[in-house]
Amino acid sequence: MPSDRASKEESRTVVECHSVVKSFGSVHVLRSVDLEVRESEVLCILGPSGAGKSTLLRCINHLEGIDGGWIKVTDQIIGYELRGNKLHELSERAVRRQRGLCGMVFQHFNLFPHFTALQNVMLGPVEILKQPRGEVEARSRLLLDRVGLASKVSVYPSQLSGGQQQRVAIARALAMNPRVLLFDEPTSALDPEVVGEVLRVMLELAEEGRTMIVVTHEVGFAREAADRVAFMFDGRITEIGPARAVLEKPSEARTAEFLSHVLV
Amino acid sequence: MRSHDGTGAQKGRSGSTSLIAGGAPPYEPASAGGRASTYEIVRRKHPWRFAAAIVVLLLLALLLYGAANAHQLHWSVTGHYLFNRAVLVGVLRTLEITAAAMMLGLALGVIFGIMRSSHNPVLRGVAWLYVWAFRGTPIILQLFLWFNLALIFPRIDIPGIAHGTTVNIITPFLAALLGFGINEGAYMSEIIRGGLLSVPPGQTEAALSLGASHAWTTRRIVLPQAFRVILPAIGNDTLQMLKLTSLAAFISFNELFGTTESIYYANSEVIELLLVAGAWYLVASSVLSVVQYYVERKFGRGFQRGRQQALVERVVLRAMARLRTRAV
Ligand SMILES: Nc1ncnc2c1ncn2[C@@H]1O[C@H](COP(=O)(O)OP(=O)(O)OP(=O)(O)O)[C@@H](O)[C@H]1O
Ligand SMILES: [Mg+2]
């Protein structure tokens, strides 16, 4: 429960977006997004399709470059380097190192089909971070155990249900020891009966104090796990505040209307 | 009445397809209605299939009879040359040039296929040009070009690789290798590009989000998955290359076809020796087909194709895993 956790007023900022602008050609996807996420805070982002929620997450991980403003994760500006008063694009190598700050969980899991569950989890730490195999394996087994898949270590993704695949994907993200977890509609591609098992894992992560940004349509999850909820419309964050307050008494008409659609 | 209807429906079905012929009546529990618990299944007869088979077999028999009794055709000569030393050397050379050309083609195909999928417009453009030029001209022309390279470049000086007169360096084998390999590379690059495109972009994205480099992502994530799609096409190209190499005879590389040709120039037993070459090509392509079948079965089929194939998948995936566990 968010209320059970220590107050985060004094804890430090992990993710900070400042006037972030992004467009694809003539399509303005992000029009000045400002956002601050503090250590061990859970922020849920809600909003209609096309609002730019995925794009925002992808920018935070520098899977997309931005056209204006800046994004900081911990104390690093993502993807760019401030020299004088200009932001210069970083080298691929430096970007790669920064990507370790964020762990990403995708709507369609994107597990590697030619590797087993355990290999999927170990691949990053062993081959990308060059950590010792033995250690990584032990840690990966623990992670799979934590997401309830201890019995599936040597199974391939195609033999797992959607919910199981998504839990492996969460373990894979955790294995990289990220400072913040980014979830992009992690349950949208799942059959209704397995949504719960994934949300339960996410709730546990929230309770143990992980910093998380979760794009979701699961209002119930937002109410239960989020410290704050943000609404995104047309490339802007139009409303942000404590979960209960925003979900129950939205101050914006658009938010209220959106919620009335989602909550049917 | 109910059980009668059930039987009727079943008869209708077994009439159109014999697939369910052996099964119990599908719509009724065996004891329903108090009638017989099993019914005899009468398969539909196919008299025309039988007639067509007879006709075709007769025609085939006539053809074989004609061939066997063609007095101009000296079967003994064919038999004699089948295991002639020169012919066997020719077979070996055909296999050599096929393997070498496919290897060069594969290497070039991977390089240019990746270039064509690159974000860099210059790399993409150069790769496009390569495919355009070598797919757009006849292979025989390309062979003659390489073979006659000396006409425009009398000497070759590539530091560390080759020095000397072009005539000495570009042997018939090398000309054939360059001709077939570079031509194959153009086709192969398209095959590989298709394979790369078949891998969902989410795979690359997931790898990048883990902090992987583009090179690592291509090598460990994209290419292994693309391979499944690429493999059958490589098999087909190899089979085609096997026969295509006969063109090397025209640039005086004595592979199987060229060897038999030079024998019949001497003894005039043309058809007999062509049959010798044909027999060997058939043997080689049959062997390759079998190899292709097993390789494809091992790597290609059933991957991620619906739940019914879970067993096949498991076998395929285990096999792939065994090849990969060493790395992870
Ligand atoms: N690579 C791209 N090229 C061009 N346009 C893009 C690209 N990615 C996203 N867009 C556009 O940007 C807009 C926002 O997309 P985004 O995926 O961020 O929305 P979203 O809020 O995540 O929506 P959804 O709920 O459907 O996932 C859309 O109009 C989309 O068409
Ligand atoms: Mg989205």
Side-chain angles (χ1 to χ4, degrees):
Chain A
M1 291 291 126
S3 48
D4 297 342
R5 279 181 267 156
S7 156
K8 282 144 206 160
E9 299 314 309
E10 327 81 65
S11 61
R12 38 190 224 140
T13 301
V14 178
V15 179
E16 189 176 2
C17 300
H18 179 82
S19 308
V20 173
V21 174
K22 168 77 188 172
S23 47
F24 292 107
S26 60
V27 187
H28 297 284
V29 181
L30 299 179
R31 312 165 183 259
S32 190
V33 172
D34 288 286
L35 192 65
E36 212 180 315
V37 179
R38 291 175 172 276
E39 180 103 56
S40 71
E41 184 181 19
V42 176
L43 174 75
C44 281
I45 302 179
L46 278 70
S49 181
K53 309 178 298 289
S54 299
T55 307
L56 179 61
L57 289 193
R58 293 162 53 78
C59 287
I60 293 174
N61 209 354
H62 203 64
L63 287 172
E64 301 282 358
I66 58 179
D67 302 323
W70 46 259
I71 297 172
K72 262 184 170 180
V73 177
T74 65
D75 55 350
Q76 299 187 42
I77 300 176
I78 295 301
Y80 302 90
E81 182 184 29
L82 190 62
R83 272 188 259 143
N85 58 356
K86 288 200 174 104
L87 287 174
H88 294 265
E89 237 180 313
L90 282 175
S91 69
E92 207 200 300
R93 177 184 291 269
V95 168
R96 269 185 258 148
R97 215 172 300 129
Q98 288 186 335
R99 289 213 175 103
L101 297 167
C102 303
M104 189 119 179
V105 176
F106 302 87
Q107 182 175 358
H108 297 285
F109 336 129
N110 297 348
L111 290 181
F112 306 128
H114 52 309
F115 291 110
T116 63
L118 182 64
Q119 288 170 335
N120 264 280
V121 178
M122 290 174 63
L123 206 53
V126 171
E127 294 200 18
I128 297 165
L129 301 181
K130 312 271 183 220
Q131 293 172 353
R133 251 189 87 91
E135 254 169 55
V136 173
E137 179 167 345
R139 191 154 46 86
S140 302
R141 284 179 186 277
L142 275 179
L143 282 170
L144 282 170
D145 188 28
R146 278 212 33 205
V147 299
L149 292 171
S151 61
K152 302 286 183 187
V153 282
S154 49
V155 160
Y156 287 90
S158 60
Q159 297 159 249
L160 294 171
S161 73
Q164 293 170 331
Q165 289 190 51
Q166 193 60 299
R167 286 184 280 151
V168 174
I170 292 173
R172 177 175 71 178
L174 288 173
M176 302 297 283
N177 268 330
R179 295 299 305 273
V180 53
L181 287 166
L182 310 174
F183 294 84
D184 191 0
E185 303 197 23
T187 58
S188 298
L190 296 178
D191 294 334
E193 70 267 23
V194 298
V195 166
E197 67 194 39
V198 172
L199 291 181
R200 211 167 310 124
V201 168
M202 290 169 61
L203 203 62
E204 278 169 31
L205 293 174
E207 273 162 10
E208 74 182 36
R210 297 265 176 186
T211 313
M212 294 160 64
I213 302 180
V214 184
V215 170
T216 185
H217 292 304
E218 298 285 339
V219 177
F221 173 79
R223 189 177 294 126
E224 196 169 346
D227 298 291
R228 286 190 302 157
V229 167
F231 274 94
M232 243 180 123
F233 286 97
D234 193 26
R236 283 199 180 84
I237 289 179
T238 53
E239 180 160 6
I240 184 165
R244 251 160 238 274
V246 174
L247 291 171
E248 270 145 40
K249 293 191 284 303
S251 56
E252 292 259 328
R254 280 186 291 189
T255 315
E257 205 206 315
F258 177 80
L259 281 174
S260 72
H261 285 303
V262 179
L263 286 175
V264 262
Chain B
M1 248 18 259
R2 277 174 67 227
S3 94
H4 173 79
D5 288 343
T7 329
Q10 197 207 353
K11 264 186 190 157
R13 283 208 170 186
S14 57
S16 58
T17 151
S18 57
L19 278 179
I20 60 163
Y27 302 118
E28 292 287 318
S31 59
R35 302 279 185 92
S37 60
T38 55
Y39 298 95
E40 191 190 348
I41 306 295
V42 183
R43 284 173 195 267
R44 206 177 127 183
K45 303 249 171 2
H46 296 283
W48 289 110
R49 269 189 213 170
F50 189 68
I54 294 288
V55 170
V56 170
L57 281 178
L58 267 175
L59 287 173
L60 192 66
L62 274 174
L63 192 74
L64 286 178
Y65 179 80
N69 288 283
H71 297 297
Q72 304 300 320
L73 193 60
H74 305 126
W75 284 107
S76 61
V77 176
T78 301
H80 172 74
Y81 277 103
L82 208 50
F83 296 100
N84 174 284
R85 203 185 142 72
V87 170
L88 291 181
V89 170
V91 171
L92 208 65
R93 287 194 166 167
T94 288
L95 295 178
E96 268 169 23
I97 185 70
T98 302
M102 286 308 294
M103 262 162 351
L104 179 59
L106 195 60
L108 291 173
V110 169
I111 293 168
F112 284 95
I114 289 175
M115 275 169 73
R116 279 208 76 178
S117 321
S118 142
H119 289 292
N120 187 331
V122 175
L123 297 190
R124 244 186 2 244
V126 169
W128 179 87
L129 207 68
Y130 166 68
V131 173
W132 175 74
F134 286 94
R135 275 204 325 186
T137 53
I139 177 71
I140 188 82
L141 182 149
Q142 290 169 36
L143 286 174
F144 274 65
L145 267 181
W146 292 112
F147 189 57
N148 293 306
L149 202 64
L151 297 179
I152 39 172
F153 298 114
R155 283 189 58 82
I156 293 179
D157 285 294
I158 308 171
I161 298 175
H163 279 283
T165 56
T166 306
V167 184
N168 287 334
I169 293 171
I170 305 279
T171 57
F173 177 82
L174 191 58
L177 174 61
L178 290 172
F180 291 126
I182 292 175
N183 184 260
E184 176 59 32
Y187 286 93
M188 192 69 83
S189 76
E190 288 293 282
I191 292 170
I192 287 181
R193 189 169 71 102
L196 294 177
L197 281 176
S198 77
V199 180
Q203 291 289 310
T204 303
E205 207 148 88
L208 291 182
S209 80
L210 290 175
S213 66
H214 280 283
W216 185 90
T217 305
T218 304
R219 189 169 51 80
R220 296 288 283 150
I221 304 299
V222 179
L223 274 182
Q225 293 182 60
F227 199 53
R228 287 187 337 262
V229 180
I230 291 168
L231 212 70
I234 293 180
N236 285 339
D237 275 19
T238 310
L239 271 174
Q240 218 164 354
M241 181 63 77
L242 176 75
K243 292 156 286 170
L244 207 58
T245 52
S246 57
L247 289 177
F250 295 102
I251 54 168
S252 61
F253 177 65
N254 276 325
E255 39 63 72
L256 175 56
F257 178 69
T259 306
T260 49
E261 207 187 22
S262 50
I263 297 175
Y264 70 63
Y265 279 152
N267 68 6
S268 299
E269 308 270 13
V270 179
I271 303 289
E272 288 78 0
L273 277 142
L274 286 178
L275 287 177
V276 168
W280 278 114
Y281 279 116
L282 276 176
V283 168
S285 57
S286 305
V287 170
L288 275 180
S289 299
V290 173
V291 171
Q292 181 187 13
Y293 172 78
Y294 280 105
V295 171
E296 264 174 43
R297 199 173 68 163
K298 198 167 175 187
F299 289 94
R301 242 191 270 156
F303 197 85
Q304 268 183 340
R305 246 201 255 152
R307 297 257 150 174
Q308 300 105 307
Q309 280 168 320
L311 183 75
V312 183
E313 268 170 26
R314 227 168 294 150
V315 173
V316 170
L317 290 166
R318 289 255 168 78
M320 293 182 75
R322 219 168 295 138
L323 289 174
R324 273 169 239 287
T325 29
R326 253 160 287 140
V328 177

